[in-house]
Amino acid sequence: MPAAATDRARYNRATAHLDAPVAIVDLRAFDANARDLVRRARGKPVRVASKSVRCRALLERALAMDGFSGIMSFTLAESLWLARSGFPDVLLAYPSADRAGFAALTGDAGLAAAVTVMVDDPAQLNLIDAARSGDAEVRVCLEMDASLRLLGGRVRIGARRSPLWSPARLAELARTVVRRPGFRLVGLMAYEGHVAGVGDALAGQPVRSRAIRLMQAAARRDLAARRAAAVRAVRAVSDLEFVNGGGTGSVQHTAAEDAVTEVAAGSGLYQPRLFDDYTSFQGRPAALFAQPVVRRPGLGVVTVLGGGYPASGPAGTDRLPVPYLPAGLRYDTNEGPGEVQTPLLGPPVDDLLIGDKVWFRHAKAGEMCERFDELHLVDGDRVVATVPTYRGEGRTFL
């Protein structure tokens, strides 16, 4: 039996007692993906990106494995919640304007010791000081802009994140932090999303894939040199506990840089659809959701309940979930995946019965968890645990 058919049979047996819609995580695939991230990190610790997991039990599972250390969070409220839940090392990946959160952070020395906040502008320090409720020292990480700039800056490739592109500007802000009472500079981060989050082996697009590989090679060379210079410049101002970089798609490249002390990854644990198109690694789909067949409108088509869960980012078909099992299903191009119904076409449909499950993969990783209160953890053909997502714990943080 082909692997896809075997997986479908396992998942159907494991969830036979559960009505769809239902979401699962295949623990064997999750653990295999985790081991591969550690292998690619070349001995440097992997910090788990919580945005891509959004489940405390699975964050704990990853962090219990050799090679993982610390969490990269996505909001200050989440950071505080994780710290209160017992996670001792939480790096907030984005600047925040959460005044209530900063009041809580500065009023509690224990929280302040566990959470590191992201800064790329002195105005953010002003906001934190204005929100202070106590004298707890705030741990600060500077974010460096990782974008590739060509033709004297007229061409820019990469996410619009930090304004701090040059080592000199990073050193200038480092001096501002060091001189300011109540703050301690502990880290530097750069996220190369144009390398880590863009596949370089797009199906049916060889010319574009080749262009992406050339761009990414140039971006890696530029960033490695600039990041090393930035780390030297900032370390001349203050010692650093860590230098963070990377993402699932660039773990092995970023880890090879001497200046980097740790890498970040999260999506690679679930292996969503957008991470299939890489030449450098291949993960196993671990996070899936199922929708039930509710209609058979005619020969060659079935309809499942809902399933229209688009991912964030630029609108396009690559942001849609994909029907995964049984293999060979496709959307009706006139309807696509809908909020309340999704017609499906393809050879397998005439074998599907009312009530059968169709398994989907989300385009992104943690965003699937915003649709479900719980994840059923599958080992082989059994559900061995059911755990809440952030949403199931009443914590969306969005």
Side-chain angles (χ1 to χ4, degrees):
M1 184 182 292
T6 300
D7 286 342
R8 182 191 175 207
R10 286 196 300 113
Y11 300 149
N12 284 342
R13 285 196 300 271
T15 63
H17 62 296
L18 299 170
D19 286 336
V22 65
I24 67 168
V25 170
D26 184 330
L27 291 180
R28 295 181 186 179
F30 181 94
D31 290 350
N33 292 337
R35 290 191 295 270
D36 189 60
L37 288 170
V38 170
R39 176 189 64 80
R40 292 196 287 132
R42 306 182 183 196
K44 292 183 178 177
V46 178
R47 185 179 289 273
V48 184
S50 64
K51 183 171 73 73
S52 300
V53 179
R54 303 194 201 195
C55 171
R56 277 199 299 175
L58 290 172
L59 289 173
E60 290 168 350
R61 186 180 185 90
L63 288 169
M65 299 181 189
D66 290 342
F68 288 87
S69 180
I71 291 176
M72 177 175 282
S73 59
F74 59 102
T75 70
L76 181 56
E78 182 211 15
S79 304
L80 299 174
W81 179 64
L82 289 171
R84 290 178 177 125
S85 299
F87 293 96
D89 179 8
V90 183
L91 169 62
L92 176 57
Y94 306 89
S96 176
D98 180 355
R99 291 175 174 83
F102 284 126
L105 181 73
T106 56
D108 186 321
L111 289 178
V115 175
T116 302
V117 304
M118 195 63 61
V119 168
D120 58 32
D121 190 312
Q124 295 153 355
L125 301 175
N126 296 339
L127 187 147
I128 295 170
D129 268 340
R132 276 188 178 275
S133 66
D135 57 3
E137 187 176 57
V138 177
R139 293 167 53 84
V140 169
C141 177
L142 304 183
E143 180 168 2
M144 171 183 173
D145 178 22
S147 65
L148 175 63
R149 299 187 182 184
L150 305 171
L151 302 177
R154 293 190 295 276
V155 175
R156 182 183 187 281
I157 302 172
R160 295 183 180 277
R161 292 176 64 111
S162 170
L164 305 175
W165 190 83
S166 70
R169 290 200 62 191
L170 283 154
E172 180 183 356
L173 184 54
R175 286 189 288 271
T176 298
V177 174
V178 168
R179 289 195 299 262
R180 192 146 180 167
F183 295 91
R184 180 155 63 97
L185 180 59
V186 298
L188 187 147
M189 185 194 89
Y191 172 59
E192 53 268 36
H194 49 304
V195 179
V198 178
D200 63 348
L202 306 178
Q205 301 181 61
V207 175
R208 185 180 178 194
S209 296
R210 173 65 175 164
I212 289 172
R213 286 194 289 273
L214 290 172
M215 176 276 291
Q216 290 179 339
R220 290 196 300 268
R221 290 192 298 270
D222 165 77
L223 182 57
R226 191 159 46 86
R227 180 154 38 200
V231 170
R232 288 193 299 271
V234 174
R235 286 195 186 277
V237 176
S238 174
D239 193 19
L240 296 175
E241 294 179 13
F242 64 87
V243 176
N244 180 281
T248 288
S250 66
V251 164
Q252 67 275 20
H253 303 297
T254 307
E257 295 181 31
D258 290 338
V260 173
T261 66
E262 62 175 42
V263 292
S267 294
L269 295 169
Y270 285 173
Q271 189 63 19
R273 170 63 188 90
L274 281 176
F275 286 82
D276 285 351
D277 301 327
Y278 288 80
T279 56
S280 59
F281 74 99
Q282 186 172 13
R284 292 173 54 183
L288 310 170
F289 67 90
Q291 300 294 120
V293 174
V294 293
R295 283 179 171 166
R296 295 179 53 84
L299 208 61
V301 58
V302 296
T303 301
V304 299
L305 176 72
Y309 305 156
S312 60
T317 56
D318 65 338
R319 302 291 150 163
L320 300 178
V322 292
Y324 177 53
L325 298 173
L329 294 173
R330 67 183 188 276
Y331 293 126
D332 180 335
T333 55
N334 292 318
E335 294 196 48
E339 181 183 17
V340 291
Q341 75 159 34
T342 298
L344 295 171
L345 313 175
V349 298
D350 290 328
D351 294 325
L352 290 171
L353 305 176
I354 299 295
D356 282 355
K357 293 181 175 78
V358 173
W359 295 92
F360 291 78
R361 296 172 64 199
H362 204 282
K364 286 193 171 182
E367 291 184 19
M368 182 188 84
C369 295
E370 296 300 327
R371 304 286 182 165
F372 295 91
D373 289 342
E374 56 191 19
L375 299 173
H376 301 280
L377 308 185
V378 172
D379 188 357
D381 61 0
R382 296 183 305 117
V383 170
V384 295
T386 298
V387 297
T389 60
Y390 278 13
R391 169 179 143 153
E393 297 197 64
R395 310 281 182 166
T396 58
F397 304 119
L398 298 177

